[in-house]
Amino acid sequence: MIALREAWQAGLFRRGNWLSNIVAGAIVGVVALPLAMAFAIASGAKPEQGLYTAIVAGLLVSACGGSRVQIAGPTGAFIVILSGITARHGIDGLQIATLMAGLILLAMGMTRLGSVIRYIPAPVIVGFTAGIGVIIFVGQWRDFFGLPAVAGDHFHQKLWHLLQVMPHWHPATTAIALLSLLLVVGTPRLPWLRRIPGPLVALVAATVIQALFRFDGVATIGSAFGGLPRGLPGLSLPEVTLARVLELAGPAFTIAMLGAIESLLSAVVADGMAGTRHDSNQELVGQGLANVVAPLFGGFAATGAIARTATNIRNGGNSPLAGLTHAATLVLVVLFLAPLAANVPLAALAAILFVVAYNMSELRHFARMVRRAPRADVAILLITFCLTILTDLVVAVNIGVILAMLQFLRRMSASVEVSRQDAPDVEHELSREGGMPSGLPPGVLVYGIDGPFFFGAVENFERALIQTHTDPRVLLIRLRRVPFMDMTGLQTLEEVIGKLRQRGVAVVLCEANARVRQKLARAGVLAALGEGNYQETLAAATERCARIARPE
């Protein structure tokens, strides 16, 4: 419970901080109410399951996470993944996958992989979040316009079928949806309503209108799900079998990876807004606990919610007390206000998700990256975006990360220089060190490697040696500017030493740092060089070269 402990040590649980955190938590709870139900319905679950998820995740992440101000719950980024899992494996399959994802997150946090997740490239993150935004937007057309149900396993099929049934839109449903959308967007711009969350205003207004006028054909939570049950769920274990575990391993890993990425991004945003510093590994532990426990109480996958966390900070939340109050607010709603949810139109929730999808897509940031980023990064961004929409989020992220890694390796290998150093330059450097006053002897060539000597840089090394048209008597290779070597680089170096030795060329290495020198010894490269053919300094190495080139 690192967040609670740090907040206590910082004095944030003193009475003077109570009011601001309780107020912030209550506001966030109100904001989370419509979002939790909307995300649950879009994920193929019941609306109350979204509330249960927000309650459990809100409690555990606030108490056990690595950020003082993080607010957790169901989020829009999960919709595409979770709806696919629910459609294929049912709600039980979704809960088992969530539980497995929680265990994966716990393992990631305990093995201190939190810092690694942050290195996923920005083009990949922006590409798949924008793609998710588009999928959510199109996926809500049915509830927004009151359209008939459509079939289709893939995005392009659903989009085509939705366009075909668009002439059958329902006027009353569409009117409620448009009013809700206007209220969500416009409420923050009205001075007297600025403090009230726009989604709540839209939800209340649409519910009151439908309760008063009872429009025929307008789908509500009551007509679609039978309303919200009053009370909290009991502990229930999903039926876990080995076959289901193997079947859901891929989806569980996807939930874990996306949950880790979004929660850590949210924690980074919170640090920038609140001036705090989160513990990424402990944050993964908190998220893991939340995803293990939530399915046991009727919930599903949860992660850190950027918008709700930002709302918490803007309203004065600075300790886990705000997150605990957010969960308590939702508990009170479930216990006392559940019957009122029967008249909530699904169109209003669809309008809220329209805004969520727009915010997720980050159109301005996406367009700016397309205009200003290097071409390779733009290509990765667009490929990830298109694959997210047209294939699968897992495929999109995997291919995006692989392409980004290949591009990084290409850039790294291009930055590694293997250059021949002229005798005057070497002699000038030696004179400053007080060595070899007579200069380099004939028959000695000096090469310097500048950069990491890994598998991507091997080609540069071999190409540089090929440019030596006549074999020297001794080849001196300086490793002063090599920060590390991988196994491919070590094997290549050993092979080059063997080939040169067969041609009568001796190889001397020098100036490796302690880490590289240890790897050279362990890989057997120093043994292949021969005794005395590795030296710590350039002066000692050139003296060794002189003895080899001019044997007594």
Side-chain angles (χ1 to χ4, degrees):
M1 296 189 177
I2 191 169
L4 286 174
R5 186 181 70 247
E6 289 187 353
W8 179 271
Q9 292 173 349
L12 297 177
F13 285 125
R14 293 172 183 168
R15 186 170 298 178
N17 290 313
W18 287 5
L19 181 60
S20 61
N21 282 282
I22 290 173
V23 170
I27 292 173
V28 175
V30 170
V31 171
L33 174 63
L35 293 176
M37 293 191 295
F39 293 148
I41 293 170
S43 300
K46 295 180 179 179
E48 64 267 22
Q49 291 181 290
L51 297 176
Y52 301 155
T53 303
I55 291 169
V56 174
L59 283 171
L60 290 176
V61 172
S62 294
C64 305
S67 171
R68 302 175 189 170
V69 292
Q70 180 85 284
I71 302 294
T75 66
F78 275 144
I79 288 176
V80 178
I81 298 172
L82 303 189
S83 60
I85 297 173
T86 306
R88 186 173 302 176
H89 304 285
I91 194 66
D92 287 343
L94 173 59
Q95 292 178 327
I96 294 171
T98 299
L99 194 153
M100 293 168 60
L103 296 175
I104 295 172
L105 286 167
L106 277 172
M108 292 169 64
M110 292 178 178
T111 53
R112 309 193 67 80
L113 292 178
S115 59
V116 176
I117 301 297
R118 293 181 294 178
Y119 294 118
I120 294 179
V124 177
I125 294 175
V126 174
F128 81 69
T129 52
I132 290 171
V134 172
I135 295 174
I136 293 173
F137 173 70
V138 174
Q140 294 305 306
W141 285 8
R142 180 191 172 194
D143 289 335
F144 191 92
F145 297 106
L147 302 175
V150 297
D153 294 331
H154 301 288
F155 173 81
H156 63 279
Q157 296 172 333
K158 292 180 181 178
L159 176 61
W160 176 245
H161 292 155
L162 284 169
L163 291 174
Q164 287 180 317
V165 300
M166 191 61 74
H168 303 288
W169 61 282
H170 191 264
T173 299
T174 306
I176 291 175
L178 289 173
L179 175 63
S180 301
L181 183 62
L182 181 63
L183 290 173
V184 174
V185 176
T187 297
R189 302 179 183 180
L190 300 176
W192 60 90
L193 290 177
R194 188 172 298 167
R195 300 286 294 179
I196 304 176
L200 179 66
V201 174
L203 186 72
V204 172
T207 303
V208 170
I209 290 173
Q210 177 60 20
L212 291 176
F213 296 99
R214 302 285 180 179
F215 294 111
D216 291 333
V218 175
T220 64
I221 287 180
S223 64
F225 302 99
L228 292 182
R230 177 182 287 181
L232 298 175
L235 177 67
S236 62
L237 297 175
E239 186 178 349
V240 181
T241 63
L242 179 59
R244 301 213 78 181
V245 168
L246 295 176
E247 186 180 33
L248 293 166
F253 185 77
T254 305
I255 292 173
M257 289 301 297
L258 185 57
I261 292 169
E262 188 166 8
S263 65
L264 294 180
L265 284 176
S266 178
V268 170
V269 171
D271 287 346
M273 295 180 64
T276 58
R277 186 174 182 179
H278 75 281
D279 184 324
S280 57
N281 296 307
Q282 184 62 36
E283 182 63 25
L284 293 184
V285 170
Q287 298 292 339
L289 287 172
N291 283 280
V292 168
V293 177
L296 305 181
F297 291 92
F300 52 88
T303 186
I306 297 176
R308 275 160 275 172
T309 299
T311 301
N312 178 36
I313 297 169
R314 290 194 193 103
N315 286 279
N318 62 1
S319 80
L321 179 60
L324 299 177
T325 304
H326 141 263
T329 302
L330 293 176
V331 169
L332 294 175
V333 169
V334 172
L335 292 177
F336 299 107
L337 301 179
L340 301 179
N343 291 313
V344 174
L346 299 185
L349 299 179
I352 293 170
L353 289 180
F354 268 23
V355 178
V356 171
Y358 175 80
N359 293 333
M360 283 190 64
S361 65
E362 296 185 287
L363 287 179
R364 294 181 181 177
H365 184 43
F366 188 95
R368 190 185 312 115
M369 188 173 287
V370 170
R371 290 196 308 268
R372 299 180 181 178
R375 292 182 180 178
D377 290 334
V378 173
I380 293 170
L381 169 70
L382 296 177
I383 289 172
T384 306
F385 173 75
C386 293
L387 288 175
T388 301
I389 294 175
L390 300 176
T391 59
D392 181 78
L393 180 63
V394 181
V395 174
V397 173
N398 287 341
I399 292 180
V401 170
I402 290 171
L403 290 175
M405 289 174 59
L406 292 175
Q407 171 63 7
F408 172 75
L409 292 175
R410 186 186 71 82
R411 290 171 176 169
M412 284 288 292
S413 62
S415 67
V416 178
E417 295 184 2
V418 182
S419 57
R420 179 176 172 178
Q421 298 181 352
D422 296 332
D425 295 332
V426 177
E427 291 169 1
H428 177 68
E429 189 172 344
L430 284 169
S431 65
R432 289 185 301 174
E433 297 180 4
M436 289 293 291
S438 60
L440 278 177
V444 177
L445 289 183
V446 181
Y447 275 85
I449 304 176
D450 190 352
F453 193 49
F454 69 113
F455 64 91
V458 165
E459 184 180 355
N460 293 0
F461 178 68
E462 293 176 335
R463 188 187 304 118
L465 295 184
I466 290 173
Q467 293 174 356
T468 305
H469 302 293
T470 58
D471 285 345
R473 180 73 183 88
V474 184
L475 180 65
L476 173 59
I477 301 177
R478 304 182 65 184
L479 304 176
R480 180 180 58 176
R481 295 183 178 178
V482 177
F484 69 86
M485 281 188 172
D486 72 351
M487 195 59 207
T488 304
L490 292 167
Q491 287 179 347
T492 301
L493 188 56
E494 187 174 9
E495 291 171 2
V496 166
I497 292 170
K499 290 177 181 178
L500 290 173
R501 178 177 291 174
Q502 292 174 1
R503 287 160 29 195
V505 179
V507 178
V508 176
L509 303 180
C510 68
E511 302 175 285
N513 64 43
R515 184 179 178 186
V516 171
R517 185 171 64 254
Q518 184 180 12
K519 289 187 176 182
L520 291 171
R522 184 181 301 172
V525 176
L526 296 186
L529 276 176
E531 187 177 355
N533 286 349
Y534 173 79
Q535 298 293 332
E536 294 290 345
T537 64
L538 178 61
T542 51
E543 290 177 4
R544 175 63 179 170
C545 291
R547 287 196 297 270
I548 297 173
R550 296 187 298 220
E552 297 179 358

